[in-house]
Amino acid sequence: MKGTSRTARRLTACVLTGALAAGFAAVPALAAEPASLEIGIYSTTDMHGKCYDLNPIDGKEVKNSYLKVATAMEEERAAMDGTILIDNGDIIQGSSIISYNMNMEGGKDNPMAICLRYIGYDAFVPGNHEFNFDMETQQIFYDMLSDTSSKYPGKPVDALCANYINVATQEPNLTPYKVMTFDVGGSEFKVGILGFENVNVPNWDLPTHYEGSDFVHKDNTERTYAYEWVNYWQKELREKEDCDFVIVASHSGEDSGLVGAGDGDAVETGKTDFSPENQVRHLVENTTGIDMVIAGHNHKVGVTEMKNADGQTVPCVNGGTSTLTKTPVTIRSDGTFTIGESENLDLTAYENDAGLKALMQPYYDRTLPFITEQIGTLSGDWDDETDLFHVQSDTMNLVHEAQLWATGADLSLASPVANKDFCIGQLLDGKDSAPISLKDCYSFYKYDNNLIYMIQMTGKQIKDWLEDCTKDFTVEADGTITGGGFGTDQLYGMDYDIYMGNPEGSRVVNLTYQGKPVTDDQTFKVALNSYRLSANAAGDEFGWYATTGITMGTDAVLWDGSVSEEFGSIGGSVTLVIAEYIKAMTAEGKDITPPEAKSHWTLNAGTSPAADTVTRLQFAESLYQAMTADSETLAAPADEPFTDISDNTAILWLSGQKVISGDGTGKFNPNAPITREQAAVMLMNAAAALDKGPQGAWAVQIPYADASSISPWASEGVMWNVIQKYLPVGEDNQFAPQGTLTQADADAAIAALMAQK
C-alpha cells in the first residue's frame, strides 16, 4: 500500500482550536516543517517451532527459521529510526525439536521463548497451538518470556491477548495490549498493539488447557473480533491510552463474510457466510479506529488492502509461516503519519544468525538421536496405498492397531494425517526389510499434538458419526470420490460399507461387529484422539458434539492417555504412542508387518445393492459350493490373495483355481454387487477349472447391441457367454455388462455351468 496518509484522531481538537483563533488574529507565517522519523512494523506468524537450520526428521535445510529472522531484524534495525516486532502465534508446536522439548522435557527452557527473547520481539500473540498443552506447561513458556533476570538471553517479551477471557471475572488472562511510545521532535507518538487469539480454540483443544476461560466475552454471542473491538478495546486504546496508531495482531485468517458488531454497527457487504475461524476482513469492514492488522493461522503469505466502515484503507499483512512482514510508517511531530507499502521479506535471502544457532544447538543435539534411533524393523508385503481417506490401507490399519494396543478398546476411530502421498510401504523401497524410527512415525501420523483417549459410544452414536463423516465426500461426474479431511474419521474393528448414492443418513450399511449386526443400544470402548473431545456446544467445527454429544466433560470419557501411567511421560501423543507400540512389538522379537485387518470397510460411489442383489462374495461362495459339491478332497487353498478379505475358504480355493482375481489392486471388494460382466468372467474361469472351458481357436464375435460398453478385460468372458448362454439376454439384445444379478439369476447361471457337458 503506497502513500496512505492519515491524521491522528487526537489532532482534530487542535485543528478546530486553530481555526477559531484565526477569526481573531492575523494568519501567522508558515510554520516550520514538522520533524519526522520512519519506523518499521515487522511480524512473523505460524513459525511452528522452526528454531534451527536443519530439520532433524529429514536432514534438509530449514530456509525460513527464526535464525533467518534474527539476521533480517539486525539489518532492519540498523536501517530504521525505530522498529516494532510482533510474533502472531503458533510457535510451540510443529517441529520435532519443539515437540521433544514439550513432550519429553515438559517445556523446560523452551527453545521458542529463547528465540523470541534473543531476536528482541516486542510482543507475542498466542495462536491456537499454544493451547495444545496443559496450563502448567503453557505457563513455563510465558514465564520465560516475561523473565527479567539474567537467566535467559535477550530481553523480556510481552504476551498479549485481549480475548482470552476468565469466565468468572470477565477479565483477560493475559495482558490485552501494549503501548509503545516514539519521540518525534519532542512530541510523543503512541502506537497501541492489541492481540486477539483465534476464537475457535474450543474446536481444537481440551477444556483443561484453558480451564475456566473462553475466547470472547460472554455477551459476544456471535464470537466476533469486531464486537470485542467496538465494545471493549476501541475506547480503551483510542481514548484512555490516546494512541495515535493502532495495530491489531489476530491469529485468524483474512477472509469471511459479515455479521453485526456491537449495537447494530455492522457494515453489510454480503461477501460470504461469516466464519469465526478466519474473520480479519469482517473485523476491518465492521469497525473504525484500526490502522493496521496482522493476520495468521491460515499460512497464507501476502498483503491485503481492506476498507474499514468509514471507507479508509487498512493494510493487512500475513507472514504465512515463511516470511517476515515489513510495513514502514513515517510519523511526524504534528501527530500525522503515512503508511508505506507493506511487503513480505523473503527469509531465504538471509544468513543464519550464528549466535542463535549456537543457543539452539543443544536442542538439536538432544532431538536428533531421539527421533532417528531405530525402534523396529519393517518387513512383509505392505501395500502402496496412499489414498488413505477413500481406501482401507495397511498404513492406517497400523495406526488403528496402535490405538487399540494402547487403550484396550474394542474399536478405533482416526482421521488419516499422513504426509501427502505417503504410505509405510515406501520405507521398504523394494527391500525385504527396513529400519523404522520415530521420524518415520511422523510421516504417517504427523500431528503429535493429538492425544490418545478412550471413550464409550453406543452403536447409534457410532453410526451417526460415520454418517456425518460421509458429508465430507463428493462423487464427481466420472464416478470418482473426492474429499475428506481432519473432520473425517474411519472406523476400525467393525465392518461397514458406505454408499454415497444413498440418501444422507442411510449411506452407512452392513455395520457389523464380530459378524453380527450392530444395534443402537450396544456399547463399545472406542480409542480416538483428543481433537474430537475438544468439541463442545460453543465450538463444534466438525460436527462431532452435535452428532454424539460426547465431550471432555462427560462420563463417556473412560481413559486419558496424557495422564496415564503408561503414556503420561510422553504426554499421550498419538504419534509417540505409535512409536511405543512399535517398540513393544520389537521387544517381543517381532518385525513390524502389515496388520491382519480386524475389520473391513468400503467407500462406494453408487447406491447399496437391493436386498435381492447378489454381492461378489455371495456369488463366489455359491460358485464354490457348486464346484466342490461332489469333491471328496479339495485342492490345497492358496495363500491369502486379497487385502480386504481373509480366512475365507471359498475365496482361497477359487483364487487357487484361478477362478477369481480381484480388481487388480489387491482387493476383492466382497460387499460390492457383482456385475453381469464380472459374473461372465468368473463363469468362464470356473468352466476352465472344471475342464469345460474354451479350447483352441474359439473366439467369436459379440453380437450384443451394447457390445461397445463391455470392459476390455471382460470381453473373453462375454464371448464365452455368447456360446454357453449362462446369462441370458432379453429381446432388446442388451447384455447390460454393468447390470447386477438377483439370487435367482446367479443360481440359474451356476446351474447352467454345472450342467454343461
Side-chain angles (χ1 to χ4, degrees):
M1 189 179 78
K2 297 180 180 179
T4 298
S5 296
R6 207 171 301 160
T7 302
R9 292 183 65 189
R10 64 176 180 163
L11 186 63
T12 304
C14 297
V15 172
L16 289 173
T17 302
L20 291 172
F24 299 95
V27 177
L30 290 175
E33 189 72 20
S36 67
L37 59 82
E38 186 175 38
I39 65 170
I41 301 170
Y42 302 86
S43 73
T44 51
T45 188
D46 300 276
M47 292 292 280
H48 287 286
K50 290 187 287 190
C51 61
Y52 201 66
D53 65 333
L54 294 177
N55 184 341
I57 290 180
D58 57 18
K60 294 181 179 179
E61 181 185 2
V62 181
K63 298 181 179 181
N64 44 33
S65 72
Y66 281 108
L67 307 186
K68 308 279 191 177
V69 177
T71 301
M73 284 308 303
E74 184 176 7
E75 294 182 13
E76 292 298 318
R77 288 188 176 110
M80 305 297 287
D81 297 319
T83 61
I84 297 173
L85 178 59
I86 302 166
D87 190 276
N88 201 30
D90 275 8
I91 181 175
I92 60 173
Q93 180 276 335
S95 76
S96 55
I97 291 178
I98 188 58
S99 173
Y100 181 81
N101 176 257
M102 298 300 288
N103 290 309
M104 308 306 296
E105 300 176 330
K108 182 182 178 182
D109 294 330
N110 192 299
M112 308 318 300
I114 292 176
C115 284
L116 296 186
R117 291 177 62 98
Y118 177 92
I119 296 169
Y121 276 82
D122 297 294
F124 170 78
V125 177
N128 53 287
H129 284 289
E130 271 62 70
F131 289 91
N132 290 166
F133 307 95
D134 62 59
M135 296 176 72
E136 181 179 353
T137 307
Q138 293 176 51
Q139 194 59 47
I140 292 172
F141 174 68
Y142 292 121
D143 287 346
M144 285 185 66
L145 290 183
S146 62
D147 192 283
T148 57
S149 72
S150 59
K151 182 178 181 180
Y152 303 111
K155 67 171 189 175
V157 181
D158 292 311
L160 308 179
C161 191
N163 65 317
Y164 179 26
I165 305 297
N166 182 297
V167 171
T169 66
Q170 288 298 290
E171 295 295 329
N173 294 307
L174 294 174
T175 302
Y177 62 81
K178 174 179 183 175
V179 177
M180 296 181 67
T181 301
F182 296 86
D183 185 289
V184 191
S187 298
E188 285 189 345
F189 187 93
K190 300 172 73 173
V191 177
I193 307 166
L194 181 74
F196 279 147
E197 168 62 289
N198 198 295
V199 302
N200 270 13
V201 168
N203 273 324
W204 307 310
D205 287 287
L206 302 177
T208 53
H209 292 183
Y210 53 91
E211 190 170 3
S213 300
D214 196 5
F215 296 88
V216 292
H217 285 86
K218 64 181 180 181
D219 53 339
N220 186 356
T221 57
E222 293 178 318
R223 303 183 73 82
T224 71
Y225 292 149
Y227 187 94
E228 294 289 319
W229 171 252
V230 168
N231 292 277
Y232 291 95
W233 306 114
Q234 184 170 16
K235 185 175 181 179
E236 188 85 6
L237 283 163
R238 283 301 188 184
E239 297 182 20
K240 178 181 176 182
E241 299 289 352
D242 200 20
C243 289
D244 300 290
F245 191 95
V246 171
I247 305 165
V248 173
S250 58
H251 192 80
S252 180
E254 291 87 345
D255 290 311
S256 69
L258 303 178
V259 296
D263 298 323
D265 292 332
V267 176
E268 180 58 55
T269 64
K271 290 186 178 295
T272 59
D273 292 334
F274 171 71
S275 167
E277 182 175 355
N278 294 302
Q279 55 171 299
V280 167
R281 185 178 297 278
H282 171 268
L283 167 65
V284 173
E285 293 181 346
N286 282 279
T287 62
T288 60
I290 298 171
D291 297 295
M292 176 183 172
V293 179
I294 298 170
H297 180 66
N298 59 1
H299 295 198
K300 180 181 177 182
V301 176
V303 178
T304 308
E305 292 185 352
M306 303 176 181
K307 298 289 187 182
N308 70 7
D310 283 345
Q312 293 179 323
T313 299
V314 177
C316 170
V317 298
N318 190 329
T321 199
S322 60
T323 70
L324 174 69
T325 75
K326 174 182 179 179
T327 303
V329 179
T330 302
I331 57 180
R332 289 174 284 272
S333 57
D334 63 359
T336 61
F337 60 86
T338 300
I339 304 175
E341 185 173 7
S342 298
E343 60 180 314
N344 292 85
L345 300 180
D346 181 6
L347 290 175
T348 64
Y350 297 90
E351 297 295 324
N352 295 307
D353 182 272
L356 185 55
K357 181 178 178 179
L359 290 172
M360 294 297 105
Q361 185 74 48
Y363 296 95
Y364 178 85
D365 291 343
R366 293 199 296 272
T367 302
L368 186 62
F370 174 69
I371 66 169
T372 57
E373 178 185 5
Q374 181 175 345
I375 59 175
T377 301
L378 285 176
S379 66
D381 187 19
W382 289 82
D383 67 34
D384 60 358
E385 186 60 64
T386 59
D387 187 13
L388 304 184
F389 277 108
H390 306 124
V391 181
Q392 189 167 355
S393 65
D394 291 341
T395 297
M396 282 305 298
N397 285 350
L398 180 66
V399 172
H400 290 299
E401 287 286 347
Q403 292 197 158
L404 294 181
W405 167 81
T407 61
D410 307 310
L411 311 171
S412 170
L413 276 173
S415 177
V417 292
N419 289 336
K420 184 179 180 182
D421 299 326
F422 179 86
C423 66
I424 292 175
Q426 294 170 6
L427 298 174
L428 288 165
D429 194 26
K431 301 180 180 68
D432 292 334
S433 65
I436 185 170
S437 63
L438 177 58
K439 71 176 183 178
D440 300 317
C441 297
Y442 275 97
S443 293
F444 62 87
Y445 204 94
K446 60 185 177 181
Y447 297 132
D448 59 12
N449 55 318
N450 291 350
L451 311 182
I452 188 76
Y453 278 77
M454 181 170 67
I455 63 173
Q456 180 172 287
M457 298 182 73
T458 65
K460 184 178 188 309
Q461 287 171 323
I462 290 168
K463 185 177 187 300
D464 288 348
W465 175 240
L466 291 176
E467 287 283 357
D468 194 76
C469 288
T470 68
K471 296 176 183 178
D472 297 337
F473 297 123
T474 299
V475 179
E476 306 295 343
D478 62 359
T480 59
I481 299 176
T482 58
F486 197 67
T488 317
D489 281 333
Q490 54 186 230
L491 178 69
Y492 186 79
M494 281 185 184
D495 295 317
Y496 63 98
D497 301 291
I498 296 172
Y499 288 92
M500 293 300 296
N502 289 3
E504 285 190 13
S506 58
R507 291 172 171 170
V508 179
V509 299
N510 306 322
L511 191 64
T512 60
Y513 179 68
Q514 297 181 348
K516 297 180 180 179
V518 175
T519 62
D520 284 354
D521 58 355
Q522 274 183 277
T523 58
F524 301 90
K525 293 181 292 183
V526 183
L528 79 173
N529 74 61
S530 55
Y531 263 40
R532 294 291 170 259
L533 301 181
S534 63
N536 55 42
D540 193 24
E541 180 180 8
F542 302 120
W544 166 268
Y545 181 76
T547 303
T548 68
I550 299 174
T551 190
M552 188 57 64
T554 64
D555 293 338
V557 178
L558 305 176
W559 181 83
D560 175 355
S562 67
V563 295
S564 67
E565 181 178 350
E566 304 91 336
F567 306 110
S569 63
I570 57 173
S573 162
V574 174
T575 310
L576 301 183
V577 163
I578 294 169
E580 292 300 307
Y581 170 70
I582 293 172
K583 290 178 184 178
M585 297 300 102
T586 302
E588 295 177 11
K590 298 177 181 178
D591 281 2
I592 309 305
T593 57
E596 183 177 338
K598 289 185 171 61
S599 62
H600 299 281
W601 60 269
T602 66
L603 178 61
N604 308 277
T607 58
S608 57
D612 60 348
T613 299
V614 176
T615 66
R616 286 170 54 81
L617 178 59
Q618 290 170 333
F619 187 82
E621 290 179 333
S622 296
L623 193 56
Y624 166 77
Q625 292 294 335
M627 293 176 69
T628 61
D630 298 327
S631 302
E632 294 183 5
T633 304
L634 301 181
D639 293 334
E640 293 286 359
F642 306 113
T643 60
D644 57 350
I645 186 169
S646 61
D647 198 26
N648 184 291
T649 301
I651 295 299
L652 287 169
W653 189 85
L654 290 171
S655 175
Q657 298 298 315
K658 295 183 171 38
V659 174
I660 58 176
S661 58
D663 65 0
T665 68
K667 300 183 186 300
F668 185 67
N669 300 317
N671 297 317
I674 191 164
T675 64
R676 284 169 58 87
E677 64 180 6
Q678 291 170 354
V681 173
M682 285 191 197
L683 290 165
M684 180 188 71
N685 293 342
L690 295 169
D691 294 327
K692 299 179 180 183
Q695 310 246 341
W698 67 274
V700 298
Q701 184 176 359
I702 299 177
Y704 304 134
D706 55 355
S708 62
S709 63
I710 296 168
S711 302
W713 54 264
S715 58
E716 285 193 1
V718 178
M719 286 181 194
W720 188 242
N721 191 78
V722 172
I723 298 171
Q724 297 298 332
K725 298 181 173 55
Y726 301 137
L727 300 170
V729 298
E731 293 182 359
D732 59 1
N733 196 34
Q734 300 275 341
F735 181 69
Q738 281 77 48
T740 58
L741 301 179
T742 64
Q743 190 62 58
D745 295 332
D747 291 344
I750 294 172
L753 164 70
M754 300 309 298
Q756 178 187 335
K757 300 299 183 183

